Amino acid sequence: MTFKAPDSLSEQIADYLAERIIRGELAPGERIQEQKVTQALNVSRGSVREALLILERRHLVAILPRRGAHVTTLDERSVRSLCALMGEFYILLGNAVAQKWRTETDLRPFLSIQQRLQQARDQQDIKAFVAESFAVMRAAYPFADNPYLQETVENLQPAMSRAYYLALDQRQASMLDYLDLFARLLDAVVARDLSGIREVLTAYCQRSCELVLAALARG
């Protein structure tokens, strides 16, 4: 495999490896050997090392002295910590949209995402569904206008995608449940109901956390 796009080569390699981790093709604790990646993707070892550093920032890889890079593990502590933190970030983004939207044009991106989520659900396309669920927060970034929040959420997003994918893939979570949540969230945003936004997102994150933990318990 050869990468030829003009984007950062290291970013492309990181995205490729992240996808394999998120989908469970690289198992928790599994070592990622630089030489094998270099040969498999026909890229330089330096680019692979930089990609692994990117994945470390995204909490998908741990790099240990003399032991190299390993896929991070998912356990109860990490899942609960991640869900609690992401829940607060989601609330910040939801509040920003509710406070700053002015016209229907401002809300159009979210309605488009809602349609794509429905299509992914109808096709039982887990990968597309997870991707569109995170497109929601990216559509909210301009309303928050906070580069620190955006950077932090982007670095945590792959780890959250991994958790969501696990739950959906093992049928512990329902895409229909998420569609219902999103509909209620949009209603709260349109009404500028900040307490409603917090209520919906807090309940959702708590429920998601329990579903991920149930999926982990099933192995």
Side-chain angles (χ1 to χ4, degrees), residues 113 117 126-136 138 157 161:
I113 292 169
L117 282 166
I126 295 172
K127 179 180 177 180
F129 194 90
V130 172
E132 291 298 340
S133 69
F134 285 102
V136 176
R138 295 190 174 109
Q157 177 265 324
S161 289

Side-chain angles (χ1 to χ4, degrees), residues 116-126 128 175:
R116 295 197 298 270
L117 282 166
Q118 182 64 58
Q119 291 171 354
R121 187 263 173 182
D122 292 342
Q123 297 168 3
Q124 289 296 297
D125 187 339
I126 295 172
M175 288 184 262

Side-chain angles (χ1 to χ4, degrees), residues 51-102:
L52 292 174
L53 290 173
I54 292 171
L55 291 175
E56 187 177 40
R57 289 200 303 273
R58 295 175 182 171
H59 307 279
L60 294 179
V61 161
I63 301 175
L64 304 175
R66 295 182 297 279
R67 292 182 57 192
H70 292 75
V71 177
T72 53
T73 59
L74 283 176
D75 56 23
E76 181 175 358
R77 178 173 175 270
S78 63
V79 169
R80 289 193 184 280
S81 298
L82 181 60
C83 288
L85 186 60
M86 290 295 283
E88 292 302 317
F89 290 148
Y90 293 157
I91 290 167
L92 284 173
L93 290 168
N95 287 349
V97 179
Q99 292 168 329
K100 294 184 179 180
W101 78 267
R102 293 294 177 265

Side-chain angles (χ1 to χ4, degrees), residues 76 79-91 160 163-164 167 172-173 177-178 181 184 197-215:
E76 181 175 358
V79 169
R80 289 193 184 280
S81 298
L82 181 60
C83 288
L85 186 60
M86 290 295 283
E88 292 302 317
F89 290 148
Y90 293 157
I91 290 167
M160 203 68 188
Y164 283 173
Q172 290 292 322
D177 287 344
Y178 184 85
L181 157 91
R184 289 187 287 120
I197 290 170
R198 174 169 286 277
E199 180 180 350
V200 169
L201 288 173
T202 298
Y204 169 70
C205 287
Q206 290 175 346
R207 174 62 175 158
S208 296
C209 182
E210 295 306 321
L211 290 170
V212 173
L213 291 176

Side-chain angles (χ1 to χ4, degrees), residues 7-71:
D7 298 335
S8 164
L9 180 59
S10 296
E11 283 282 353
Q12 293 179 70
I13 298 169
D15 289 343
Y16 169 77
L17 293 173
E19 183 69 17
R20 295 193 65 197
I21 294 170
I22 289 168
R23 294 174 67 88
E25 295 169 10
L26 291 173
E30 183 174 344
R31 184 182 177 191
I32 301 177
Q33 298 184 36
E34 293 180 8
Q35 185 174 0
K36 286 187 177 181
V37 176
T38 296
Q39 294 173 346
L41 303 184
N42 191 26
V43 294
S44 70
R45 197 156 186 169
S47 294
V48 173
R49 287 175 180 170
E50 187 174 344
L52 292 174
L53 290 173
I54 292 171
L55 291 175
E56 187 177 40
R57 289 200 303 273
R58 295 175 182 171
H59 307 279
L60 294 179
V61 161
I63 301 175
L64 304 175
R66 295 182 297 279
R67 292 182 57 192
H70 292 75
V71 177

